[in-house]
């Protein structure tokens, strides 16, 4: 009853997402990837609570705090307002170890904007409320905070990042999120370098979002600059590049993070040939076939870079100063950028690019599929078989022009995320997860999805506008890169699926069919489907890049991923293009997993403020510690009055079978 009341309040308070002002301070930004967070490692005070203690048993609990605030960024003499994390861009690096329980307090000190924080690639098993989207929580109102609790396991090892999932805030609000092996890395290196790529526009993100959604559509244009760790050179070579300082004859693990909002980059170290060992947080067998990587928005790639000897550096005659080149592909006009590899005492007079004309390409041309089909995971894993697949979901993504009410308007260019629906941030009005806890009628429904009205594919619930899947099954998801209804072209899109990794089965040019899949696997590699949270659909025939067109309703290309649906993954998981303007323009859909398993009752340790807009929300762990402290002892044994909580169902972990 309390929950129901809360939900009614949530609806009232949440309507329109009104915001309250907080004291306003504009901070200039700093660039930093140093871990500026002091972790507060807590002891475990709970030993035997049936539901929760087992989750925390034997784990260390680490807390961090991120503050999102209004700031301003000055690069190459141009100052632009920007939301910042802890006053830096990129935000501070968060670093944990598999096995940790992690609680990150995200505090919104922006004056009049809501926010959330998404932990890109973290599997969030049993913690669907911590996914940080407007599907999984009410946004964090100005002056309020939300504690994200995550239970990291070995499947979370690798290079990830965090970013806001509201509007275009991700362009500036984000940072590295690294999860280390508990028992040694599979490769050896001497040192690490984290290189976070950003696209930089001389425009505030709010202005870009408004233009994309306006009656008079306004495209954001290619970025003014490419930044690495918050620094870069303009097209006419103003500004200061980021220097990656290295020593002679050492091995570096370079973690590239595709934090950029739009461009699909090729990246090469001039005069060096690094190999590749990690792709989207999956260790791969060392790949030496291409020292130029392709990094789309949301991708992460780890390279092993062996630096030169002092002798060799002298012989090269480049003053120990080597360019790291970034060139965008598949889109005109391109955005090209530089970072610099600097040996001891190198670059005494600064960095001079080998070619003063920034638009001249120095790297090889982008290619369909890159070398993705050749990559092999390093560790054994179970390849999901064809005969296990119980259902195939088709995501038909293409550009449309929505009808407009205003005469002379240029129309609303949008992307169809699925079926006839275009994703908008304000739908649903009540976040899906809150709907599930409240048992609302229009919440995602497996039954409805399996009995769709005529013209809607089986598996899609058109009331909640979500695909729905059930646990203990294996599903295929095909993303079609269909011809634009505006230009008859296709372009590149880099899709991200929240929750745990899928397996990238194959990609191909043209229309998707069983025959096309068979051919791709027989002729184009794809022998070892890579576990990943990212999947690219490349522009095939009909790429705008080549100025070719294809008929409406046909595909330039397709990509297929296979996903094992497990009960501990119950939740609401967005599947979307990670190009920020495309997401804003609706290129997204939802896969709801076992919505029936999300309990309509919060447990004692779940903060009821979660159901309300405009509140601070505590993590279950915080509430448990407070409870233990209030009882005046270090341990909570789960006896007596509170024992009644023990049998309750938590996020689908309970005894009850799904109905
Ligand atoms: Cu896209």
């Amino acid at each position: 009853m309390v929950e129901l009341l809360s939900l009614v309040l949530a609806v009232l308070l949440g309507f329109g997402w009104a915001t309250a002002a907080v004291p306003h301070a504009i901070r200039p930004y700093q660039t930093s990837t140093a871990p500026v967070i002091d972790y507060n490692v807590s002891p475990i005070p709970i030993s035997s609570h049936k539901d929760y203690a087992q989750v925390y048993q034997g784990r260390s609990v680490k807390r961090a705090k991120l503050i999102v605030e209004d700031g301003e960024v000055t690069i190459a003499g141009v100052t632009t307002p920007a939301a910042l994390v802890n006053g830096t861009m990129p935000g501070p690096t968060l670093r944990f170890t598999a096995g940790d329980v992690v609680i990150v307090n995200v505090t919104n000190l922006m004056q009049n904007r809501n926010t959330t924080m998404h932990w890109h690639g973290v599997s969030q098993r049993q913690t669907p409320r911590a996914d940080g989207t407007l599907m999984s929580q009410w946004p964090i109102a100005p002056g309020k905070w939300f504690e994200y609790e995550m239970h990291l396991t070995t499947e979370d090892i690798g290079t990830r990042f965090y970013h806001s999932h509201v509007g275009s805030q991700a362009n500036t609000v984000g940072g590295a999120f690294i999860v280390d092996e508990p028992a040694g890395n599979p490769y050896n290196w001497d040192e690490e370098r984290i290189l976070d790529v950003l696209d930089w526009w001389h425009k505030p993100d709010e202005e870009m979002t408004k233009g994309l959604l306006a009656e008079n559509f306004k495209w954001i244009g290619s970025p003014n600059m490419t930044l690495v760790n918050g620094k870069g050179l303009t097209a006419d070579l103003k500004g200061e590049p980021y220097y990656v300082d290295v020593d002679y004859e050492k091995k570096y693990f370079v973690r590239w993070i595709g934090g950029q909002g739009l461009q699909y980059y090729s990246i090469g170290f001039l005069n060096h040939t690094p190999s590749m060992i990690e792709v989207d947080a999956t260790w791969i067998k060392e790949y030496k076939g291409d020292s130029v990587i392709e990094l789309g928005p949301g991708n992460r790639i780890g390279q092993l870079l062996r630096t030169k000897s002092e002798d060799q550096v002298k012989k090269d005659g480049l003053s120990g100063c080597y360019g790291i080149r970034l060139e965008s592909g598949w889109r005109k006009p391109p955005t090209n950028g530089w970072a610099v590899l600097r040996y001891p005492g190198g670059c005494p007079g600064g960095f001079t690019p080998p070619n003063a004309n920034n638009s001249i390409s120095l790297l090889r041309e982008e290619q369909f599929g890159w070398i993705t089909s050749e990559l092999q995971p390093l560790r054994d894993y179970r390849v999901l078989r064809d005969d296990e697949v119980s259902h195939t979901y088709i995501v038909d993504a293409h550009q449309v022009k929505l009808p407009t009410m205003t005469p002379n308007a240029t129309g609303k260019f949008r992307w169809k995320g699925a079926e006839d629906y275009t994703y908008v941030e304000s739908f649903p009005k009540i976040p899906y997860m809150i709907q599930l806890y409240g048992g609302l009628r229009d919440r995602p429904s497996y039954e409805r999805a399996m009995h769709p009205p005529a013209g809607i594919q089986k598996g899609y619930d058109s009331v909640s506008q979500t695909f729905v899947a059930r646990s203990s099954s294996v599903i295929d998801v095909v993303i079609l890169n269909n011809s634009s209804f505006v230009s008859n072209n296709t372009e590149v899109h880099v899709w991200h699926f929240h929750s745990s990794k899928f397996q990238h089965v194959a990609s191909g040019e043209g229309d998707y069919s069983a025959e096309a899949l068979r051919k791709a696997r027989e002729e184009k590699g794809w022998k070892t489907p890579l576990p990943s949270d990212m999947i690219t659909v490349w522009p095939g025939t009909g790429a705008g890049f080549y100025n070719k067109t294809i008929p409406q309703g046909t595909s330039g290309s397709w990509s297929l991923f296979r996903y094992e649906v497990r009960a501990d993954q119950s939740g609401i998981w967005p599947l979307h293009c990670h190009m920020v303007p495309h997401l804003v323009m609706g290129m997204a859909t939802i896969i709801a997993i076992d919505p029936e398993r999300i309990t309509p009752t919060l447990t004692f340790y779940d903060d009821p403020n979660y159901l309300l807009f405009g509140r601070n929300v505590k993590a279950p762990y915080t509430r448990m510690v407070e409870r233990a402290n209030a009882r005046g002892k270090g341990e909570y044994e789960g006896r007596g009055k509170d024992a009644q909580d023990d049998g309750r169902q938590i996020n689908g972990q309970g005894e009850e079978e799904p109905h």
Side-chain angles (χ1 to χ4, degrees), residues 368 373 505-509 512-527 558:
F368 185 94
S373 68
V505 172
S507 296
E509 290 195 61
Y512 172 75
S513 65
E515 175 62 11
L517 173 60
R518 190 191 60 76
K519 269 186 99 171
R521 285 161 138 185
E522 270 175 22
E523 297 167 14
K524 308 276 185 190
W526 304 109
K527 300 299 177 217
W558 54 269

Side-chain angles (χ1 to χ4, degrees), residues 213-227:
L213 298 176
E215 288 278 310
N216 288 294
F217 173 81
K218 198 163 173 239
W219 176 240
I220 59 171
S222 290
N224 298 85
M225 295 175 75
T226 305
L227 305 181

